[in-house]
Amino acid sequence: MATKLTLLLSLLGISSLGVAQQPCTVQVTTKNIADGTWFYLQDAETNRVYDSAQAKANTFTLKAMLDKEATQAMVYEKKYDAYIFVWLAPGNLTIVQEGKTLRTARVTGNELEAHSNELKKILAPIEQKIEQLEANIEKEKSETKRLALIKAYENMEEKSAQTERDYVRRYPERLFSAYI
């Protein structure tokens, strides 16, 4: 029995060593970030922090060794004043903040990000309507009008979900579709 257990443990150890780690480099360009601000690269699923770096002249680089094909991660500032979710895959990823927040930065460099950006573009008009409905619900005093706005909001949320389902049906072979 001890021999079988030793053999099993050896095989498990060998199989875990067989997972090749591959590098991913994330180059970030921000706006209005104070020099010396710390940023972190963290796996969104496991919360493992891959790397940290200090911003200098609104740029910094983060690195990760990945033991899987792709993973969703978060680049964030310690207080979460600036953050963005991204897809990490072996290779290089570029994040360029063009607007007011890092959350809306342009992310390029791998196929998953390209697919994510494609879906975001499709969903953008729906998301804008949802945000407007949320703002109107908050401001509305009349209960009858609020209920109508809430119903419209729910309909837009369903439209968003249907758009995602349609995307998955159109691209079932994509890894990003599996995530959705």
Side-chain angles (χ1 to χ4, degrees):
M1 180 68 174
T3 307
K4 287 182 181 179
L5 182 58
T6 303
L7 179 61
L8 177 62
L9 291 174
S10 297
L11 289 172
L12 288 173
I14 290 169
S15 67
S16 68
L17 293 175
V19 176
Q21 291 197 333
Q22 297 182 32
C24 175
T25 301
V26 181
Q27 180 62 46
V28 184
T29 303
T30 63
K31 287 185 173 183
N32 304 318
I33 298 293
D35 282 355
T37 301
W38 280 97
F39 280 85
Y40 303 86
L41 177 62
Q42 179 177 323
D43 187 298
E45 182 182 339
T46 66
N47 293 330
R48 173 184 169 201
V49 175
Y50 291 110
D51 196 10
S52 61
Q54 285 183 294
K56 183 175 181 183
N58 286 307
T59 65
F60 56 95
T61 302
L62 298 161
K63 297 182 181 207
M65 291 299 289
L66 303 177
D67 57 3
K68 43 190 158 182
E69 185 178 344
T71 189
Q72 193 168 43
M74 181 170 57
V75 174
Y76 65 96
E77 184 267 333
K78 189 175 183 175
K79 297 177 190 173
Y80 294 94
D81 290 336
Y83 67 90
I84 188 170
F85 285 93
V86 296
W87 284 99
L88 297 183
N92 297 316
L93 191 68
T94 303
I95 302 171
V96 178
Q97 180 181 343
E98 297 167 334
K100 292 181 182 180
T101 68
L102 186 60
R103 283 191 327 248
T104 60
R106 182 173 36 91
V107 183
T108 58
N110 65 46
E111 189 175 84
L112 282 163
E113 278 299 331
H115 295 161
S116 176
N117 291 335
E118 177 183 33
L119 181 59
K120 285 177 189 173
K121 188 175 181 180
I122 294 167
L123 287 172
I126 298 169
E127 295 299 324
Q128 287 175 349
K129 289 178 184 175
I130 288 171
E131 288 175 16
Q132 185 61 51
L133 285 166
E134 287 174 338
N136 291 342
I137 290 168
E138 290 291 320
K139 292 187 287 187
E140 186 55 57
K141 303 283 187 229
S142 164
E143 188 63 24
T144 304
K145 289 180 182 178
R146 275 184 101 251
L147 291 174
L149 288 168
I150 290 170
K151 181 66 176 163
Y153 172 86
E154 290 169 349
N155 289 340
M156 289 308 294
E157 284 285 328
E158 177 52 36
K159 185 175 182 178
S160 177
Q162 183 60 51
T163 301
E164 288 181 345
R165 287 189 294 271
D166 292 344
Y167 181 92
V168 170
R169 284 187 195 101
R170 185 172 181 192
Y171 303 109
E173 74 288 350
R174 291 182 176 178
L175 183 58
F176 183 68
S177 292
Y179 165 74
I180 294 171

